[in-house]
Amino acid sequence: MSLSESASVEADAAQLDAFLASFDDLTADGRDHSALEQRLERFLAGARAETSGRRVVMITSGGTTVPLEKNCVRSIDNFSSGTRGAWSCEEFLERHEGYDVLFLTRGGSAQPFVSDFQEVLFSEEREDPTYLHGCVDKVMRYCHGPRFLRVEFTTVFEYLHLMRMVSKHLRPLGSRVMVYLAAAVSDFYVPADRLPMNKIQSRDRVTGDLALEKTPKALGVMRHRWLPEAMMVSFKLETDESILIDKARAAARLYDVDVVVANLLHTRKDVVQLVVRGQDAPIVLERAGDRRLEGKLVATLVDRHERRFVVNERELS
Ligand code: PMT
């Protein structure tokens, strides 16, 4: 990294720290973070053991919110259902045993093995309970087992605060970590000093007060400061196909991530394009019939993670 790039990462990191500090009362969110850190340490102990060789994937999933009041009644939200993240968790847990899964999930969004549970439970057509029992069995087997840890967020501040904290614990695992950033993170927020303490009254005019600021990006800081050795997979969502790949390439270059998974809002369940660092043409992955796209997506990324180790070993020998 050049001197000016390194200075720019330092500036981004400082900006992110200042951003989180300005929302300290909201990021603390009443949770006992020291208890969470202890849970994290217990969860990572197996992978940390020197001879384990286990890998850890951190999957982020669902949309973040931006509060409009400190005592929040209203917030700005986004479309993300968390399905990509939940289904990807299932893939890692069921088909890639060498990975432990840390799932950072938006409260109330889709969860592994039960993403369609309510729909099926209340459907008039499907009365056979076998499917539902199967879902519960899988939750008990995988999500209540030692390979899975689930942590919830709601606001963009909680999300970025968790990312910074969790990264600190993952860092000693070096290149055995894969970061899989499928969450849809709010790009804009209302600064703390402009947030009213209490519920905005319906008689008030809010137009003048709703100017939004740009949320600091975490990707570059994560790549260069928090988890420099991890395999980083970020996602790029657009609604205009003509700019998708250029934007994904720009993100790959700017943040130096290993893979950018590019998708369009309305076809995100059917097709993704993988922009891989150092590779010209994107890899196109399409859903085959009823089979979820996440099967191919996760298998391709696991394969690239594996190849990274082979390359590193060659460089060392
Ligand atoms: O949840 P589903 O309904 O199943 O939909 C899945 C999905 C469309 C949400 C998912 O496939 C996806 O594309 N997620 C990323 C969407 C997004 O926020 O893209 P973006 O272009 O705004 O951000 C690009 C990357 O920057 C993301 O990996 C994000 O984690 C990261 N980011 C964003 C903002 C910020 N302040 N810091 C960041 O690091």
Side-chain angles (χ1 to χ4, degrees):
M1 200 177 16
S2 73
L3 224 56
S4 68
E5 282 167 340
S6 151
S8 127
V9 171
E10 285 311 307
D12 285 353
Q15 197 192 1
L16 196 55
D17 286 345
F19 167 80
L20 289 176
S22 73
F23 286 101
D24 229 8
D25 45 343
L26 296 185
T27 49
D29 69 45
R31 275 190 289 187
D32 180 355
H33 278 268
S34 65
L36 177 57
E37 295 200 56
Q38 282 168 18
R39 276 171 64 215
L40 260 173
E41 279 300 297
R42 275 199 300 278
F43 168 69
L44 294 174
R48 284 249 189 104
E50 225 155 78
T51 51
S52 92
R54 294 196 63 71
R55 297 176 191 174
V56 176
V57 60
M58 172 173 79
I59 298 176
T60 71
S61 181
T64 62
T65 66
V66 169
L68 296 180
E69 297 120 350
K70 282 193 176 159
N71 287 311
C72 181
V73 174
R74 303 187 189 89
S75 56
I76 303 172
D77 206 338
N78 66 49
F79 71 96
S80 173
S81 63
T83 305
R84 171 88 76 221
W87 290 357
S88 303
C89 267
E90 294 180 26
E91 288 299 321
F92 276 102
L93 289 167
E94 285 197 287
R95 276 173 264 288
H96 300 281
E97 269 195 37
Y99 285 83
D100 295 339
V101 179
L102 175 55
F103 187 45
L104 264 57
T105 173
R106 162 76 184 276
S109 69
Q111 299 297 304
F113 305 113
V114 291
S115 57
D116 59 355
F117 199 89
Q118 292 189 3
E119 203 182 305
V120 176
L121 185 63
F122 291 102
S123 128
E124 284 167 17
E125 276 119 64
R126 207 198 284 245
E127 279 159 23
D128 176 8
T130 320
Y131 173 77
L132 293 170
H133 287 151
C135 295
V136 175
D137 283 348
K138 284 184 180 178
V139 172
M140 299 310 285
R141 171 146 38 119
Y142 293 108
C143 303
H144 290 227
R147 288 180 55 215
F148 184 78
L149 182 67
R150 180 178 166 281
V151 181
E152 279 192 11
F153 61 82
T154 302
T155 66
V156 64
F157 322 118
E158 287 163 13
Y159 176 85
L160 291 170
H161 179 82
L162 281 172
M163 297 282 272
R164 186 178 60 179
M165 187 249 273
V166 165
S167 297
K168 189 178 74 186
H169 291 268
L170 288 173
R171 190 176 171 133
L173 289 166
S175 54
R176 285 192 280 139
V177 173
M178 186 196 296
V179 177
Y180 187 101
L181 302 169
V185 185
S186 320
D187 281 322
F188 303 98
Y189 72 102
V190 184
D193 57 6
R194 278 192 236 143
L195 272 185
M197 180 58 74
N198 291 311
K199 183 183 169 208
I200 302 168
Q201 295 302 304
S202 53
R203 64 172 179 271
D204 294 345
R205 278 170 57 86
V206 290
T207 34
D209 298 322
L210 254 183
L212 302 173
E213 298 284 333
K214 201 159 164 26
T215 312
K217 272 272 189 209
L219 281 180
V221 182
M222 180 172 264
R223 154 55 76 223
H224 295 292
R225 257 188 82 166
W226 296 343
L227 293 170
E229 293 175 70
M231 164 148 163
M232 277 189 63
V233 180
S234 71
F235 284 68
K236 173 52 66 189
L237 175 83
E238 291 297 339
T239 52
D240 175 356
E241 187 169 9
S242 68
I243 60 170
L244 179 65
I245 295 303
D246 283 348
K247 296 277 286 197
R249 284 196 177 117
R253 251 195 327 271
L254 187 62
Y255 303 113
D256 199 22
V257 295
D258 296 81
V259 180
V260 180
V261 181
N263 53 179
L264 290 166
L265 181 64
H266 298 298
T267 56
R268 65 191 192 277
K269 293 202 168 132
D270 304 318
V271 58
V272 290
Q273 300 188 62
L274 273 50
V275 171
V276 178
R277 189 172 53 188
Q279 197 172 300
D280 232 20
I283 302 170
V284 181
L285 300 179
E286 284 176 296
R287 189 170 72 156
D290 281 349
R291 304 176 77 157
R292 294 171 181 173
L293 186 52
E294 282 69 16
K296 280 187 188 173
L297 173 58
V298 168
T300 307
L301 295 170
V302 166
D303 181 55
R304 297 211 76 85
H305 198 190
E306 182 58 36
R307 279 200 245 167
R308 239 168 152 250
F309 284 97
V310 176
V311 172
N312 283 348
E313 270 165 26
R314 257 197 244 124
E315 281 168 2
L316 286 172
S317 60

